[in-house]
Amino acid sequence: QVQLAESGGGSVQAGGSLTLSCVASPYYDTYAMAWFRQGSWNGREKVASIGSDDETDYTDSVKGRFTISKDNAKGTLFLRMTNLKPEDTGIYTCAASSYCSDAYCTRHAYDVKGKGTQVTVSS
């Protein structure tokens, strides 16, 4: 069973930056991976995803500010967040799909999830 462990959350002021990390054990480069966010504004939403071919997809509100990437050799997923806004506040959870490989998997395809890490952006 794949286990995911997030780190890198914290509190920042608006306009600041954070990088989240998610270590997968074991790691399968055929899995699609994603970051979900549970916040007060939009409920639980898929923020960014990356396929086995490194194609990426973002929700509109983070395009141009967030970058999802992965290091297959280290079995790690990243989310670089810049120009953070108060509405980015929430619990960020790493997720993986054991049966979907592209960046456009439905949210329900992500069957492995981490425990999440809190991101708080103050104005």
Side-chain angles (χ1 to χ4, degrees):
Q1 177 71 14
V2 175
Q3 295 190 343
L4 305 174
E6 304 96 336
S7 62
S11 298
V12 296
Q13 291 191 324
S17 301
L18 282 174
T19 297
L20 306 182
S21 300
C22 171
V23 176
S25 180
Y27 179 79
Y28 298 102
D29 60 10
T30 57
Y31 284 15
M33 299 193 74
W35 289 97
F36 284 80
R37 173 171 69 192
Q38 177 76 45
S40 301
W41 286 268
N42 296 318
R44 185 172 181 270
E45 63 176 340
K46 183 165 69 77
V47 173
S49 56
I50 186 167
S52 60
D53 59 357
D54 290 339
E55 188 171 4
T56 58
D57 186 46
Y58 299 90
T59 192
D60 287 345
S61 63
V62 307
K63 285 180 180 177
R65 301 189 297 121
F66 289 14
T67 303
I68 188 171
S69 63
K70 59 180 179 171
D71 184 332
N72 289 335
K74 296 182 178 180
T76 304
L77 178 73
F78 302 97
L79 185 68
R80 175 63 175 169
M81 306 183 291
T82 63
N83 191 20
L84 282 160
K85 304 177 180 179
E87 52 264 43
D88 293 319
T89 294
I91 298 173
Y92 285 70
T93 303
C94 172
S97 176
S98 64
Y99 58 91
C100 183
S101 298
D102 64 59
Y104 305 100
C105 306
T106 67
R107 56 187 294 166
H108 303 293
Y110 292 92
D111 52 342
V112 183
K113 301 177 181 65
K115 295 183 178 180
T117 185
Q118 176 71 44
V119 172
T120 302
V121 185
S122 58
S123 57

